């Protein structure tokens, strides 16, 4: 039985460098290389700490690179690189705290790159939890009494909104 759902924070990280011809790359700032440095730090340092977090048998998750783009020619130092971050938020985490954790971490990486870094919020959905309702307790007791089954309580990994006319609606 789901008693809640994970929230979502989706960001686009846009790295802006300076183009130059590939024969003279020292005149440019390679946005791709700087973007890879940022992604590498996120993957190796922040991601393991986030994915160690658990609640009701589910783990927090962060996915980098679902959306990636940049560059416009093979012989030009890329002045633009972009990648996405999808962070699934546990119901015992606060959306604003998760948001600040990511932004602050990325801000610490700015000194290690020459490119400018822009961070865009694409989607924010609060996590939800309702595991203390009278109805839930009565439903669990009824299932146990009638079916002799102790239902497992969990959370949905996908945000779920209840539409009273149509039933559950999945958010993607």
């Amino acid at each position: 039985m789901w008693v809640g759902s994970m929230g979502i924070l989706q960001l686009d990280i846009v790295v802006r460098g300076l183009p130059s011809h590939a024969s003279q790359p020292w005149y440019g700032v390679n946005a791709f290389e700087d973007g890879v440095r940022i992604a590498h730090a996120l993957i190796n340092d922040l991601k393991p700490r986030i994915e160690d977090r658990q609640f009701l048998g589910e783990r927090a998750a962060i996915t980098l690179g679902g959306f990636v783009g940049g560059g416009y020619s093979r012989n030009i130092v890329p002045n633009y690189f972009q990648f996405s971050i999808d962070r699934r938020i546990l119901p015992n985490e606060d959306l604003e705290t998760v948001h600040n954790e990511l932004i602050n971490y990325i801000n610490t990486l700015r000194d290690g790159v020459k490119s400018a870094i822009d961070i865009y919020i694409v989607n924010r959905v609060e996590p939800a939890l309702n595991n203390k309702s009278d109805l839930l307790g009565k439903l669990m007791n009824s299932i146990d009494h009638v079916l002799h089954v102790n239902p497992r309580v969990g959370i949905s990994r996908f945000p779920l909104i209840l539409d009273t006319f149509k039933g559950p609606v999945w958010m993607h």
Side-chain angles (χ1 to χ4, degrees):
M1 292 177 30
W2 284 339
V3 295
S5 63
M6 288 184 147
I8 296 177
L9 175 62
Q10 293 174 324
L11 303 173
D12 279 348
I13 309 304
V14 177
V15 183
R16 299 182 195 282
L18 181 66
S20 68
H21 195 272
S23 65
Q24 298 175 316
W26 50 86
Y27 289 122
V29 174
N30 193 316
F32 171 78
E33 290 177 2
D34 284 344
V36 167
R37 284 183 185 95
I38 294 164
H40 184 265
L42 286 163
I43 291 165
N44 287 306
D45 183 35
L46 189 59
K47 183 175 179 168
R49 288 188 277 149
I50 288 170
E51 292 182 344
D52 274 348
R53 300 173 190 164
Q54 295 184 46
F55 183 75
L56 288 178
E58 296 292 345
R59 290 185 180 275
I62 182 169
T63 301
L64 280 70
F67 176 79
V68 177
Y72 55 89
S73 178
R74 285 178 179 81
N75 64 342
I76 300 293
V77 171
N79 68 327
Y80 170 85
F81 180 69
Q82 176 178 348
F83 65 94
S84 64
I85 298 175
D86 183 301
R87 170 71 160 86
R88 298 302 162 123
I89 305 165
L90 297 168
N92 64 339
E93 294 182 293
D94 175 68
L95 177 60
E96 200 59 39
T97 302
V98 167
H99 176 260
N100 289 337
E101 176 184 40
L102 276 168
I103 299 300
N104 292 339
Y105 186 84
I106 292 167
N107 284 338
T108 67
L109 302 173
R110 290 181 189 271
D111 289 340
V113 298
K114 295 177 183 174
S115 298
I117 304 168
D118 296 326
I119 304 169
Y120 297 97
I121 299 169
V122 176
N123 195 9
R124 286 172 51 115
V125 178
E126 291 278 352
L129 182 64
N130 184 8
N131 63 347
K132 297 188 187 333
S133 76
D134 290 337
L135 178 60
L136 176 63
K138 289 176 182 178
L139 181 58
M140 289 181 70
N141 286 337
S142 296
I143 291 171
D144 184 34
H145 180 72
V146 174
L147 299 175
H148 305 291
V149 173
N150 189 8
R152 186 177 76 82
V153 174
I155 56 172
S156 169
R157 295 196 62 80
F158 311 99
L160 184 65
I161 327 175
L162 185 58
D163 184 324
T164 55
F165 299 105
K166 298 178 187 171
V169 178
W170 291 102
M171 299 287 293
H172 296 286

